Each structure stands twice: as C-alpha cells, then as structure tokens.
Amino acid sequence: MSAASKTYDVRTHGCQMNVHDSERLAGLLETAGYVDRASLPADERGEVADVVVFNTCAVRENADNKLYGNLGQLRPLKQRHPDLQIAVGGCMAQKDRDTIVERAPWVDVVFGTHNIGSLPALLDRARHNEEAQVEILEALETFPSTLPTRRDSAYSGWTSISVGCNNTCTFCIVPALRGKEKDRRPGEILAEVEALVAQGVVEVTLLGQNVNSYGVEFGDRLAFGKLLRACGDIDGLERVRFTSPHPAAFTDDVIDAMAETPNVMPSLHMPLQSGSDRVLKAMRRSYRSERFLGIIERVRDRIPDAAITTDIIVGFPGETDDDFEETLRVVRESRFSSAFTFQYSIRPGTPAATMPDQVPKAVVQQRYERLVALQDEISWVGNREQEGRELEVLVATGEGRKDRETARLSGRAPDNRLVHFALPEDLPEAERPRPGDMVTVGVTYGAPHHLVADSALEGGAFAVRRTRGGDAWAALQDKGAEGAVAKPGVSLGMPSIGAPAPVATTGPACGA
C-alpha cells in the first residue's frame, strides 16, 4: 500500500496549544501523502486509520489514565491490522519517554514537544526497522510555525506568538516539558495573521504559555500591547483574542490596547489559581490577591462589557479552611463570567508533589463543590444581566450539541459567551447564516452556562451579515464528500525564532 493511500487520525488532549500543534501534525502528514480519515465518505474510512496519533497533555493526574486507556482500546485493532501505526506525542510523551513503549509495546512512535516535525520520518523508520522509534529532544530547534499546518476551521485560526515558559510555578510541569520561552518576531506573526485573513479567516487567537510576557526574549516589555494594536490595522480581521496571560506580567498598556483596538474582543482569561496570598506564595505565583483584583478593576473600568474567566486550583498542599475562604472572597469580588476549576493532583517532577500537608481527598472534594456552586451562581447572575441586549454572534460549528433538536444555531458573542440563537420560522434556506457569518440577535434568556437568543421568534432583532469567513466555509462544503469533514488545505509554515535581526525602520515597532 502506498503512503498516498494511507489515512491518519490525530486525537488531541489538553490545551489550545495542543490543538494548534495537532493542526501542524495534520499538515505534516498531509504533506507526506497521508489523507485525513475524517475527510473520506463514511463507507470508505475502514475500521481504523492507518496512522493514529495521540497529542497528549500531562497537566492533570488523569492524563496518564486517559492515554493508556485509549492505547489499550487500540491494541485489538493493532492485532487485527498489523500495518496500523500508533504514535504518541505532546507533553505526556516528553515526560514519560521510554515508559510509554514499556507499558504499551504496540506503540510505534514516541516524539516530544520539541520535535513534532519529525513525525513522518519516525513513522517511516518504525515501518522500515519494524521496531518502535522514540525520539525526544531537550530543546526547541525550530519554532513550530515553520511547519505546514492544516487548520480545523475555515473562518477562525490560532497563531502562536511564543512557546515555553520562564515561570517556576510549583504545581506546573509545563516549563519542564515545553522549555524556556521562545518568542517569534513581530513581523512574522503579523505576516501569518495576514495570510490567514487572506484565506478567509475573520477571527484569530494569539497563543502563548504566558502570552503577555511576549517580548521578553528580545527585551521589549511592551511588545504584546504593540502586537495587539498592530492586529487592529489588518484589513478584514474582525476579531482578535489571546490566551493565556499571567497576572504578574499584565500591564496597563495591554488594557489600553484592548480598550482602544476595536477588533480586540472584550474577553480576558486571567488565571487566579488561588485567592490566598499564602498559597500563592507556596505556588510561586509572583502576584497577590490585591494585585489580581486591581487588574480586574482596571479592566472593567476601561472595558465595562469585558467578560473575565479564570483558572482555580482547589486543595493545593497546605491549603487551610481560611485559605480556601480567601479564594471564595476573591471569586465573589472578581465576578468571573466562568471559571475552570480543578482539584489539585500530584504531578511527579513538580516541587508541589513532595510538599508536606497534602490535603485529604474528601476535604478537597467538599471545597471544590462549594467553589463550583458559588461560581455557577455568579455566572448565572452575569448571564441574566445579558437579557435584552443585542449581540453580534460569530456563527460556529460544533458549539451547540442540542442545536438539531432545538432548531437553533450557535456561536460566540464578542465577549466569548456561548449563544444559542433561533432563526425566523420563514427564513429561506439561501438566507440562513453560515458558520463564519455574523448574526445580530437579542438575548432572551441567560442560562447558567450560555445565552439563549430567541428574538427572531418574538419579532425582535435578527440580522445576518455575510463575511469572507462564511464564504470560505461554504467553498469547503462544495468540495467535500457527503458525510465527510471538510477542512482548509495545508498552508506552509513561516520562519523563525529568536531576537529580531536589526533592520532600518522609520515607524514604531509592530506597525502600531
């Protein structure tokens, strides 16, 4: 069987960085002649792809169980299809290395976070040598954006501005797996964004482990704010988002850039982790609750409609009842629109793993439930306050699991709230909004975790604005096979990493 006829299936666990890395893995495999199994008609897909790639996460304790459970499910398929190749990459591969092949000897390739570009060659080598290939690099050699990419969406895209992390949070294993921060040159980032817009993308999310410390490598602490402003000058780019910033590096110039750049959306994900100053110190989070609340206050002063989300860890070693009450206090004062809440789990290799006073599981569970209940209450109040507002929603695919049974479509408001909206009952098929289009609707109900906008059924607001993003989505549907998943074609990578070379310029940095 030739490589051109082989299919692949990339399965992603973890953060947005992993999602974008998986787009690169898909681009590499497409360039090497493989075909996305999901792009084929259902009756041509076979029982399993020829190559299955797991792009893994190592942040939570259950990541190990999830990976080995999935690998176990593939073992009988491997026995039935000896030519099936299984590859494991990402943070878990970087951490566990040879352990993966020892625990799952039917795995063919293990590769790390620093060498995702090696995947096609490693697959070929494993096939030729008839033995597992494990290749883990300790440092990044080329910035991942130099690699070909096959994006998941025609109208929305990720752009990495940095990789790695210079912080030493005691609960986090990411710096050990992703390495020190490496920043891309501003001009290369903007060139990539412009290329995405030229392909029909109307929304771009800037990615980095600590996105707002961008510029540290080339000595410009204001570089991120300049980059946001420069994105505002890109014709056709309607929405700019970013994730995730670090409170310690969050400066007022970034707030100003958000407030003064129309296409930078009024949404901010600001990880709190704990409201207790004592716990924050033990976590090596270089800010305290007063500074965090000050940032929230300044953001809301400059951007009143901003929706702020967060991450919180419950049950960090040594956390007392008083510490947890401090977290509840900060959550009440912050009024987050939503929160990703986690029960602390030991990650081997982190300083927190060997700390004394590990909190009993039953105590952690009880605190976790109290925190979730409080945040749900706050989220619901915030969503009820949206009732009666008119919002422009970017129509999306796959956001509403019940859209078919409720006869609604779904998308995201400017502040990133999820909106399920109804269509007028007599709307002709040709006038239906497409994924990537913008729809103006009125919010009729604020549910705890989403908004409902049935204004079109009640004689209220409803207007469709066709966009180039919707055109790009529609063009893909025309080309795809029935029942297949249609994705944009492979785009070439863009170099490179390191401090920018000196160039003569007459304008400010980042074109701002």
Side-chain angles (χ1 to χ4, degrees):
M1 182 182 291
S2 66
S5 63
K6 290 184 178 293
T7 58
Y8 72 87
D9 177 11
V10 179
R11 305 180 185 184
T12 309
H13 305 154
C15 66
Q16 294 96 333
M17 194 72 75
N18 270 18
V19 173
H20 192 27
D21 281 348
S22 289
E23 291 182 332
R24 296 184 181 113
L25 292 169
L28 285 160
L29 292 169
E30 294 269 347
T31 304
Y34 294 85
V35 176
D36 183 2
R37 178 174 178 269
S39 70
L40 299 176
D43 59 355
E44 296 181 19
R45 292 178 189 174
E47 186 178 16
V48 67
D50 296 293
V51 172
V52 177
V53 184
F54 291 97
N55 189 13
T56 63
C57 173
V59 172
R60 309 304 305 160
E61 185 176 22
N62 66 358
D64 303 61
N65 298 332
K66 186 172 186 178
L67 171 63
Y68 291 110
N70 286 328
L71 291 176
Q73 291 173 6
L74 282 183
R75 187 176 189 179
L77 287 171
K78 178 85 168 182
Q79 292 169 338
R80 290 199 296 273
H81 304 276
D83 290 335
L84 164 64
Q85 288 190 291
I86 302 168
V88 178
C91 290
M92 184 69 69
Q94 188 78 23
K95 179 175 76 74
D96 284 358
R97 308 182 182 212
D98 295 324
T99 305
I100 292 173
V101 176
E102 291 172 5
R103 292 185 59 177
W106 54 95
V107 168
D108 299 277
V109 170
V110 179
F111 62 100
T113 58
H114 299 311
N115 64 320
I116 63 177
S118 302
L119 176 60
L122 292 171
L123 290 168
D124 288 344
R125 195 187 307 164
R127 189 180 300 114
H128 179 272
N129 295 350
E130 296 183 346
E131 65 179 10
Q133 301 296 306
V134 179
E135 183 176 286
I136 306 292
L137 301 185
E138 297 302 328
L140 188 69
E141 291 187 343
T142 58
F143 199 94
S145 291
T146 62
L147 302 173
T149 303
R150 191 181 191 208
R151 293 183 291 108
D152 288 334
S153 170
Y155 53 85
S156 182
W158 312 98
T159 298
S160 289
I161 70 172
S162 65
V163 294
C165 179
N166 293 339
N167 292 311
T168 57
C169 301
T170 55
F171 57 83
C172 185
I173 199 168
V174 168
L177 304 179
R178 292 277 184 177
K180 292 291 186 182
E181 181 172 327
K182 295 286 186 181
D183 293 332
R184 295 179 71 192
R185 301 178 183 185
E188 290 169 2
I189 296 167
L190 296 172
E192 181 177 330
V193 174
E194 288 170 349
L196 290 173
V197 172
Q199 295 165 18
V201 166
V202 294
E203 177 185 66
V204 166
T205 301
L206 305 178
L207 294 178
Q209 244 81 43
N210 287 314
V211 70
N212 59 317
S213 64
Y214 171 72
V216 65
E217 193 180 16
F218 49 84
D220 185 356
R221 63 185 296 272
L222 303 180
F224 185 61
K226 295 175 184 176
L227 185 64
L228 290 178
R229 292 182 185 275
C231 286
D233 293 331
I234 296 177
D235 247 2
L237 180 58
E238 300 205 23
R239 293 187 171 190
V240 178
R241 303 189 187 279
F242 58 89
T243 192
S244 287
H246 193 293
F250 204 83
T251 50
D252 286 352
D253 67 290
V254 172
I255 300 174
D256 292 339
M258 291 177 66
E260 296 165 9
T261 310
N263 66 354
V264 176
M265 294 294 97
S267 62
L268 175 65
H269 185 72
M270 181 70 76
L272 169 64
Q273 307 302 4
S274 174
S276 162
D277 290 350
R278 195 185 66 82
V279 172
L280 288 171
K281 182 178 180 180
M283 289 178 166
R284 290 190 199 151
R285 299 285 288 180
S286 46
Y287 58 88
R288 300 296 176 258
S289 59
E290 183 178 357
R291 171 172 170 76
F292 186 93
L293 289 169
I295 294 171
I296 302 300
E297 182 179 357
R298 292 195 296 278
V299 168
R300 289 215 165 97
D301 180 61
R302 295 284 278 124
I303 315 168
D305 291 335
I308 301 171
T309 59
T310 196
D311 297 332
I312 302 173
I313 296 172
V314 178
F316 186 80
E319 181 187 75
T320 65
D321 288 341
D322 287 344
D323 292 325
F324 179 66
E325 290 298 331
E326 278 295 283
T327 294
L328 297 181
R329 176 186 68 82
V330 175
V331 167
R332 290 189 189 97
E333 294 186 27
S334 298
R335 306 190 319 279
F336 300 116
S337 61
S338 65
F340 297 92
T341 52
F342 306 94
Q343 298 185 37
Y344 171 77
S345 60
I346 293 175
R347 303 311 292 139
T350 63
T354 56
M355 284 182 174
D357 302 322
Q358 299 283 331
V359 182
K361 171 65 176 175
V363 175
V364 176
Q365 180 67 34
Q366 186 266 343
R367 290 176 183 169
Y368 175 80
E369 291 172 0
R370 287 183 61 199
L371 175 61
V372 169
L374 173 62
Q375 182 56 54
D376 282 351
E377 179 184 331
I378 294 170
S379 297
W380 199 356
V381 169
N383 284 352
R384 292 300 302 266
E385 290 173 353
Q386 299 292 310
E387 293 175 4
R389 293 191 63 190
E390 291 187 9
L391 302 174
E392 187 169 61
V393 176
L394 174 58
V395 185
T397 56
E399 291 274 25
R401 290 176 295 175
K402 298 182 179 179
D403 281 353
R404 186 179 298 275
E405 58 194 82
T406 60
R408 295 188 179 102
L409 297 181
S410 299
R412 294 282 170 174
D415 66 6
N416 211 35
R417 282 183 167 92
L418 177 61
V419 183
H420 303 299
F421 62 91
L423 303 176
E425 293 179 346
D426 56 351
L427 186 69
E429 185 68 25
E431 296 179 18
R432 286 173 63 93
R434 308 159 301 180
D437 286 336
M438 299 286 185
V439 177
T440 299
V441 291
V443 178
T444 52
Y445 176 63
H449 303 295
H450 62 266
L451 304 178
V452 175
D454 283 346
S455 53
L457 303 177
E458 302 173 2
F462 182 83
V464 177
R465 179 165 63 85
R466 301 286 187 177
T467 72
R468 294 167 62 254
D471 293 343
W473 180 87
L476 283 180
Q477 311 316 302
D478 293 340
K479 296 176 182 177
E482 186 175 352
V485 177
K487 296 182 181 180
V490 176
S491 57
L492 298 179
M494 307 185 71
S496 58
I497 64 172
V503 293
T505 179
T506 56
C510 294

